[in-house]
């Protein structure tokens, strides 16, 4: 599996975010058209973390991806991604949950078609008020410190019916696609 920085380079060359199997199929054809080399859809899915598998990618596959992106070799691409930075100052939409007022609502979406609304209670604690196609349920108490657009939702703990469910992650592929804050007195549920 490749790093987020390496995936970002591939997506920039591809021209769009790679979130769904159809995106991977389109990437397969784009790599083939650009390099003349055939990397299977399943291999691309493994590289992108969409399929968990212990198989190590062949050097030829990695070099083909590097050529597609515009680098001489996989090592050169990895070095470029490192130099570009594992950390950087970026304009990203983020929310520090503890800075919200009690009663404010966070509405977030993530792929493929998930939507969750959480009412801020105190500190980093929120209660789910609406859940569409998510494993979170209405009434769940969620402990989350930060939400960052494009990154995975990470909750330190979810409590359901008084029982700790443990930590929760969502949007592992593609991250959170939208974040909206609704002030407490503007909420219609």
């Amino acid at each position: 599996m490749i790093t987020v920085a390496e995936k970002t380079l591939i997506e920039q060359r591809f021209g769009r975010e790679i979130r769904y199997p159809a995106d991977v199929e389109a990437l397969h054809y784009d790599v083939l058209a650009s390099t003349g080399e055939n990397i299977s859809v399943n291999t691309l899915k493994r590289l992108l973390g969409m399929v968990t598998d212990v198989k190590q990618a062949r050097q030829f596959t990695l070099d083909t991806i590097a050529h597609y992106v515009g680098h001489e070799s996989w090592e050169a691409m990895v070095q470029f991604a490192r130099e570009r930075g594992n950390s950087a100052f970026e304009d990203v939409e983020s929310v520090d949950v503890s800075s919200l007022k009690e009663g404010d609502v966070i509405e977030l979406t993530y792929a493929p078609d998930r939507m969750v609304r959480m009412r801020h209670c105190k500190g980093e604690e929120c209660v789910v008020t609406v859940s569409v196609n998510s494993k979170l349920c209405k009434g769940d108490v969620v402990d989350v410190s930060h939400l960052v657009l494009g990154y995975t939702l990470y909750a330190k703990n979810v409590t359901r019916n008084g029982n700790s469910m443990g930590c929760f992650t969502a949007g592992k592929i593609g991250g959170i696609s939208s974040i909206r804050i609704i002030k407490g007195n503007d909420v219609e549920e």
Side-chain angles (χ1 to χ4, degrees):
M1 194 165 100
I2 60 176
T3 67
V4 171
E6 293 155 2
K7 182 180 182 217
T8 299
L9 291 175
I10 294 167
E11 289 175 332
Q12 287 172 342
R13 167 61 174 87
F14 184 52
R16 68 178 195 246
E17 190 175 4
I18 302 166
R19 296 171 54 180
Y20 306 109
D23 297 329
V24 179
E25 288 182 37
L27 175 64
H28 160 78
Y29 289 113
D30 200 39
V31 169
L32 180 60
S34 296
T35 66
E37 301 296 343
N38 187 17
I39 300 176
S40 78
V41 172
N42 284 336
T43 297
L44 289 171
K45 285 180 181 178
R46 270 197 312 277
L47 280 175
L48 296 166
M50 295 174 133
V51 174
T52 54
D53 198 332
V54 294
K55 290 183 181 176
Q56 182 75 17
R58 293 183 8 223
Q59 189 64 45
F60 173 80
T61 300
L62 297 174
D63 285 341
T64 299
I65 292 293
H67 296 157
Y68 171 73
V69 172
H71 293 277
E72 186 176 316
S73 66
W74 179 253
E75 290 77 19
M77 181 178 147
V78 169
Q79 182 63 33
F80 176 81
R82 277 193 200 125
E83 288 172 3
R84 189 170 177 202
N86 190 20
S87 60
F89 294 102
E90 299 178 42
D91 284 336
V92 295
E93 185 177 337
S94 66
V95 175
D96 177 354
V97 174
S98 65
S99 70
L100 298 174
K101 293 186 177 169
E102 185 177 327
D104 285 351
V105 171
I106 305 163
E107 181 180 279
L108 53 95
T109 60
Y110 52 95
D113 59 352
R114 316 294 194 237
M115 189 277 286
V116 174
R117 277 193 191 155
M118 302 181 288
R119 182 179 301 278
H120 182 249
C121 298
K122 63 181 180 201
E124 297 178 349
E125 188 176 284
C126 298
V127 64
V128 175
T129 58
V130 177
S131 178
V132 178
N133 299 320
S134 172
K135 290 183 181 173
L136 292 173
C137 297
K138 185 175 181 178
D140 285 352
V141 177
V142 180
D143 294 326
V144 61
S145 62
H146 286 84
L147 301 167
V148 182
L149 191 65
Y151 290 84
T152 303
L153 163 65
Y154 175 75
K156 292 179 270 190
N157 187 55
V158 174
T159 305
R160 181 174 294 158
N161 301 321
N163 298 312
S164 173
M165 305 291 291
C167 64
F168 175 79
T169 58
K172 292 179 186 176
I173 299 173
I176 298 169
S177 51
S178 72
I179 303 172
R180 186 168 72 123
I181 305 299
I182 307 165
K183 295 299 176 188
N185 46 349
D186 294 336
V187 178
E188 292 180 26
E189 298 194 65

